[in-house]
Amino acid sequence: QKEDWPMHKLECSAMCAFGQNWNPSETVRLTARILAKQKTHPEKTQSEELLAVKEFESHLDKLDNEKRELIQNDIAALHHFYSKHMEFPDNAALVVLFAQVNCNGFTIEDEELSHLGSAIFPDVALMNHSCCPNVIVTYKGTLAEVRAVREIEPGEEVFTSYIDLLYPTEDRNERLKDSYFFSCDCRECTTKEKDGEKLKIRKLNEPPSADAVRDMIRYARNVIEGFRRAKHYKYILCSCLIRNNLFIEFLDFFVPPSELLEICELSLDKMGAVFEDSNVYMLHMMYQAMGVCLYTQDWEGALRYGQKIIRPYSQHYPAYSLNVASMWLKLGRLHMALENRPAGVKALKR
């Protein structure tokens, strides 16, 4: 507590002053901490040995109006929650800083890949992206650990992945362009060798037309984007009270788990008329459904979805993927909870 006080004190008084109305986004909180650290430690910090925060790429010239508006909203929130306790640079400098944080921030996750928070690791941010990474980044408290997942030769570049690698090439590059303003030209993106399996179509007597497949892919992307935006932007809470006053987020609303599970199942039924179960869009909805089952402590339901997911995950993701490891961990814990120790031990060893 004493060690963290120099940073936390800028929030503590504001938290007390605002009470229940204290709700800045993670990005705003992270940026406030960066500003505070830059004021108290004008020299480079230990984590800036190779690259300083001020040297981060901002891609300011590539921001569209929507992204600029989101940054202005964050700046307004920064002033609203922190102005009594901090001094800020001018608006132009804040726009640059928020753009830098958006392009270089890390999402911190626990061992089951549940979201914990956001952070900046300047030296780790030096690594470029590849869809065939040779390292992964894991977290222990406030420490980022970079781990090799294959032999790296002297002079060979170290690559990590900025995004979820489950999806086909087009989806991955759209995400990279939207968030990081570049396209990937790694071997995976050049050959697209995994795309066929990732987009596998169900074998029917009458194969679906190309238009039907395109329409279903468009539908799946829209559903997935809805889930992603809901989690990322935390839309306004609608008054939908459920058991124990707990809420689950979906699109612009907070909906009861039973309704969220129904949405997942309806999407799976619709997509399943065209897609194989191993199709990545099917897997995405199964993963969401599994999450709802875990939330409601429906261990059998969660296990059913997890067992459908694990084999195609192992095929679609690169070797030593955290996503695959996390799914084995979930399955192991579920088997243990259901008193199937042999299966639990086997999954946990995997």
Side-chain angles (χ1 to χ4, degrees), residues 161 215 257 261 289:
S161 173
D215 288 345
L261 188 59

Side-chain angles (χ1 to χ4, degrees), residues 237-243 245-248 253-257 259:
L237 171 64
C238 293
S239 56
C240 183
L241 192 63
I242 62 169
R243 186 180 58 179
N245 295 332
L246 296 172
F247 298 88
I248 279 197
F253 307 99
F254 283 68
V255 299
E259 290 184 24

Side-chain angles (χ1 to χ4, degrees), residues 268-284:
L268 284 167
D269 284 344
K270 181 169 181 174
M271 291 190 292
V274 175
F275 298 152
E276 280 282 2
D277 282 356
S278 61
N279 185 294
V280 293
Y281 300 125
M282 295 286 284
L283 295 174
H284 180 98

Side-chain angles (χ1 to χ4, degrees), residues 24-281:
S25 69
E26 280 182 13
T27 304
V28 171
R29 292 183 64 193
L30 179 56
T31 305
R33 285 189 166 221
I34 291 169
L35 289 167
K37 184 158 277 191
Q38 287 175 342
K39 187 172 183 179
T40 56
H41 296 86
E43 70 284 357
K44 284 187 177 183
T45 63
Q46 186 178 358
S47 63
E48 294 177 296
E49 186 177 339
L50 300 176
L51 181 72
V53 171
K54 291 178 180 178
E55 297 171 311
F56 278 175
E57 179 62 74
S58 68
H59 296 291
L60 206 59
D61 57 324
K62 298 169 187 166
L63 298 181
D64 58 24
N65 290 335
E66 182 184 1
K67 286 185 171 61
R68 288 181 179 275
E69 185 177 343
L70 288 171
I71 286 176
Q72 288 300 333
N73 291 341
D74 281 339
I75 291 173
L78 183 72
H79 282 282
H80 178 69
F81 290 109
Y82 291 93
S83 59
K84 291 182 180 178
H85 314 283
M86 288 182 65
E87 294 180 5
F88 303 114
D90 60 28
N91 190 77
L94 286 176
V95 169
V96 171
L97 181 56
F98 271 105
Q100 290 171 323
V101 170
N102 288 337
C103 285
N104 295 278
F106 287 80
T107 297
I108 310 303
E109 296 166 328
D110 66 12
E111 60 192 5
E112 291 194 0
L113 303 189
S114 295
H115 182 89
L116 293 179
S118 299
I120 288 288
F121 299 99
D123 289 354
V124 182
L126 274 170
M127 292 187 296
N128 282 325
H129 164 87
S130 172
C131 300
C132 314
N134 51 19
V135 301
I136 56 173
V137 182
T138 59
Y139 304 99
K140 281 188 176 179
T142 57
L143 183 71
E145 294 186 342
V146 179
R147 297 169 173 265
V149 293
R150 63 171 175 81
E151 288 291 327
I152 302 173
E153 299 297 326
E156 183 182 354
E157 184 167 357
V158 176
F159 287 104
T160 186
S161 173
Y162 295 176
I163 57 170
D164 188 341
L165 297 177
L166 177 66
Y167 302 96
T169 305
E170 185 179 346
D171 293 39
R172 294 196 309 274
N173 275 286
E174 280 184 10
R175 181 74 191 279
L176 289 169
K177 284 178 186 174
D178 182 60
S179 298
Y180 304 102
F181 308 100
F182 72 87
S183 296
C184 182
D185 60 358
C186 72
R187 177 179 53 78
E188 191 72 41
C189 290
T190 304
T191 64
K192 302 182 181 181
E193 61 185 12
K194 285 189 175 182
D195 283 5
E197 282 297 314
K198 289 184 175 186
L199 296 171
K200 200 164 188 179
I201 305 302
R202 190 171 292 281
K203 292 178 181 177
L204 303 167
N205 292 330
E206 293 184 22
S209 66
D211 286 342
V213 173
R214 275 195 299 269
D215 288 345
M216 195 59 72
I217 290 175
R218 192 180 302 115
Y219 164 80
R221 285 175 175 171
N222 287 337
V223 173
I224 289 170
E225 180 64 13
F227 272 97
R228 191 181 74 80
R229 284 180 175 271
K231 288 179 178 177
H232 185 70
Y233 292 113
K234 298 193 181 302
Y235 282 106
I236 298 168
L237 171 64
C238 293
S239 56
C240 183
L241 192 63
I242 62 169
R243 186 180 58 179
N244 299 329
N245 295 332
L246 296 172
F247 298 88
I248 279 197
E249 210 173 356
F250 180 70
L251 300 181
D252 295 345
F253 307 99
F254 283 68
V255 299
S258 58
E259 290 184 24
L260 187 56
L261 188 59
E262 187 178 354
I263 291 168
C264 293
E265 289 171 346
L266 288 171
S267 296
L268 284 167
D269 284 344
K270 181 169 181 174
M271 291 190 292
V274 175
F275 298 152
E276 280 282 2
D277 282 356
S278 61
N279 185 294
V280 293
Y281 300 125

